[in-house]
Amino acid sequence: MTNRAYKVKYGLPAQVMYCKLCVMSNQKPNTSVEYLNSDADRTYIGFDAEQICAACQYNVVKFQTNWETREIRLLEVLERYRKSDGSFDVIVPASGGKDSIYAAHLLKHKYGMHPLTVTWAPHIYRKVGWNNMQKMIHAGGLTNLLYTPNGNVHRQLTQLAFKNQLHPFQPFVYGQKNLGPLMSIAFNIPLVMYGESNLEYGDPTGSDEEEMTEQRFAMKHDYDQIKLAGVSANDLLRNHRLTKNDLQPYFPIEPELIHKVGTSVRYLGHYIKWDPQECYYYAVEHVGFEAAEERSEGTYTKHTELDDKLVPLNFYAMHCKFGIGRAMYDAAQEIRNGKITREEGVRLVQKFDGEYPSLYFEESLEYLNMSRLEFDATCDSFRSEHLWKLQGNAQVLRHPIE
């Protein structure tokens, strides 16, 4: 699958390959500190000499891990931060999805912690997502703070991120990642607990395995250096009529504030064997979590990322830019966890990956303030020639999974 004759964008690997154990493509980006990095600075999931992706390599480690020992370590960490008076002692960023319900409910009802769940609001709530959030709060007995950013500012940043980077969820990701540490500072609660770490998805081992590195969410504010939606913060202030107050929720946190509180951002998945399907079953059993009535566009599942109407559009954009869609992510994960075979995963990717987002499409276009023609043209402009070719009137992958 050598593509040396074709133009390659974003520093993507020129040779397309798929993991021999799961279905993940080597075009998948690793997590990066996007405040400082552009597309040209990206790194991509590693493959070994046997064509096994880093996520599957980590999965082998998971199955060899002594989880009883890891849980003892968890108990030590929790005891360090536990408050005896019943006041909040752990921040849990939570969307009301299966994973965050599992994390928050387990911390409270199994481990005796007193979690405060915090939520960065979606662009446009789906009814099923809102209902599951309410189940988390009421059936799960959990306190929640919903943070909804300035709607005009968030919409403007989302539009810029789509046009400049084909990454409409970037402002949301910034806000979501910052909210836990921000609430840690606001309420003087040092411990922040997320669900699984990015090692589950193929980030290099040794990076953010137990605790999130501070650079992910904290740094000095340099308005020329920090980037958001594809432009510098200073450019947003000068040319887009935004203020420092408008940008504050998206900015990394000043390190001295983190150090004053002693904020520690950790991953529950380091201490407990993480399986998203089992998180779903747990959420159904304990809070009455509901899957969607219809299959999610771009994939075959009905129970993941149900909160935001822009999710299908975001996955379609990712598929255009990297040749990786929602079905590939879902199938790769379920293969690793023994829920489906690779052969089944290949068929699911072939059938559903890159599906055009029709269900909430008009509402999403209105949010982005663009026509369908503008949307399609923008998506096409970000396609890398080594991934895509024009076949008739349609863009098709040069090297689809087989």
Side-chain angles (χ1 to χ4, degrees), residues 183-194:
M183 294 301 101
S184 166
I185 294 165
F187 291 95
N188 194 30
I189 303 172
L191 180 60
V192 180
M193 192 71 80
Y194 282 85

Side-chain angles (χ1 to χ4, degrees), residues 32-95:
S32 66
V33 182
E34 293 191 49
Y35 297 115
L36 301 178
N37 295 321
S38 65
D39 281 327
D41 302 313
R42 287 189 182 276
T43 62
Y44 296 88
I45 188 170
F47 275 54
D48 67 12
E50 304 300 318
Q51 203 171 313
I52 308 302
C53 77
C56 284
Q57 294 172 48
Y58 175 70
N59 201 51
V60 172
V61 174
K62 276 180 61 178
F63 279 91
Q64 295 172 344
T65 296
N66 185 328
W67 292 105
E68 291 182 359
T69 302
R70 287 284 181 91
E71 187 177 29
I72 291 170
R73 168 66 177 154
L74 173 64
L75 293 172
E76 292 170 352
V77 170
L78 296 180
E79 198 58 40
R80 189 189 317 161
Y81 293 100
R82 191 187 311 277
K83 293 183 180 177
S84 59
D85 62 358
S87 58
F88 296 124
D89 47 22
V90 57
I91 298 285
V92 181
S95 66

Side-chain angles (χ1 to χ4, degrees), residues 289-337:
F289 181 89
E290 293 182 8
E293 293 182 0
E294 68 283 338
R295 171 185 63 80
S296 296
E297 289 179 310
T299 191
Y300 55 95
T301 62
K302 300 167 64 174
H303 60 274
T304 63
E305 300 194 56
L306 302 178
D307 53 329
D308 198 325
K309 290 183 178 180
L310 261 67
V311 164
L313 183 147
N314 183 58
F315 273 104
Y316 178 79
M318 185 188 303
H319 189 255
C320 293
K321 191 170 182 178
F322 300 112
I324 298 170
R326 191 172 184 178
M328 184 173 290
Y329 273 97
D330 288 347
Q333 195 172 64
E334 292 201 339
I335 293 166
R336 291 182 207 118
N337 288 309

Side-chain angles (χ1 to χ4, degrees), residues 68-224:
E68 291 182 359
T69 302
R70 287 284 181 91
E71 187 177 29
I72 291 170
R73 168 66 177 154
L74 173 64
L75 293 172
E76 292 170 352
V77 170
L78 296 180
E79 198 58 40
R80 189 189 317 161
Y81 293 100
R82 191 187 311 277
K83 293 183 180 177
S84 59
D85 62 358
S87 58
F88 296 124
D89 47 22
V90 57
I91 298 285
V92 181
S95 66
K98 58 181 176 53
D99 297 315
S100 54
I101 288 175
Y102 173 75
H105 194 275
L106 201 68
L107 285 168
K108 178 173 183 176
H109 295 284
K110 180 176 181 180
Y111 295 109
M113 297 295 284
H114 311 98
L116 173 61
T117 66
V118 297
T119 303
W120 180 278
H123 303 85
I124 311 172
Y125 252 116
R126 287 181 62 183
K127 183 178 179 180
V128 64
W130 177 257
N131 288 346
N132 282 326
M133 169 73 77
Q134 299 309 303
K135 288 173 183 288
M136 179 187 79
I137 296 167
H138 299 290
L142 292 160
T143 303
N144 177 259
L145 282 177
L146 174 62
Y147 183 91
T148 305
N150 180 316
N152 291 331
V153 172
H154 193 67
R155 185 177 180 184
Q156 184 178 355
L157 292 173
T158 301
Q159 291 169 358
L160 284 170
F162 180 78
K163 292 175 181 177
N164 292 335
Q165 297 181 295
L166 204 66
H167 190 356
F169 262 51
Q170 190 196 61
F172 174 88
V173 170
Y174 279 15
Q176 186 184 52
K177 188 175 289 185
N178 286 350
L179 187 61
L182 277 173
M183 294 301 101
S184 166
I185 294 165
F187 291 95
N188 194 30
I189 303 172
L191 180 60
V192 180
M193 192 71 80
Y194 282 85
E196 74 275 44
S197 82
N198 288 309
L199 271 67
E200 295 276 351
Y201 306 102
D203 273 14
T205 53
S207 63
D208 293 4
E209 186 169 353
E210 179 177 5
E211 192 168 3
M212 188 183 294
T213 54
E214 187 178 290
Q215 192 185 28
R216 299 283 189 198
F217 57 87
M219 66 180 68
K220 285 288 186 182
H221 289 183
D222 182 330
Y223 285 77
D224 283 317

Side-chain angles (χ1 to χ4, degrees), residues 22 25 70 88 103 149 165 214 228 367 391 399:
C22 70
S25 164
R70 287 284 181 91
F88 296 124
Q165 297 181 295
E214 187 178 290
L228 175 58
Y367 189 90
Q391 187 170 292
H399 305 290

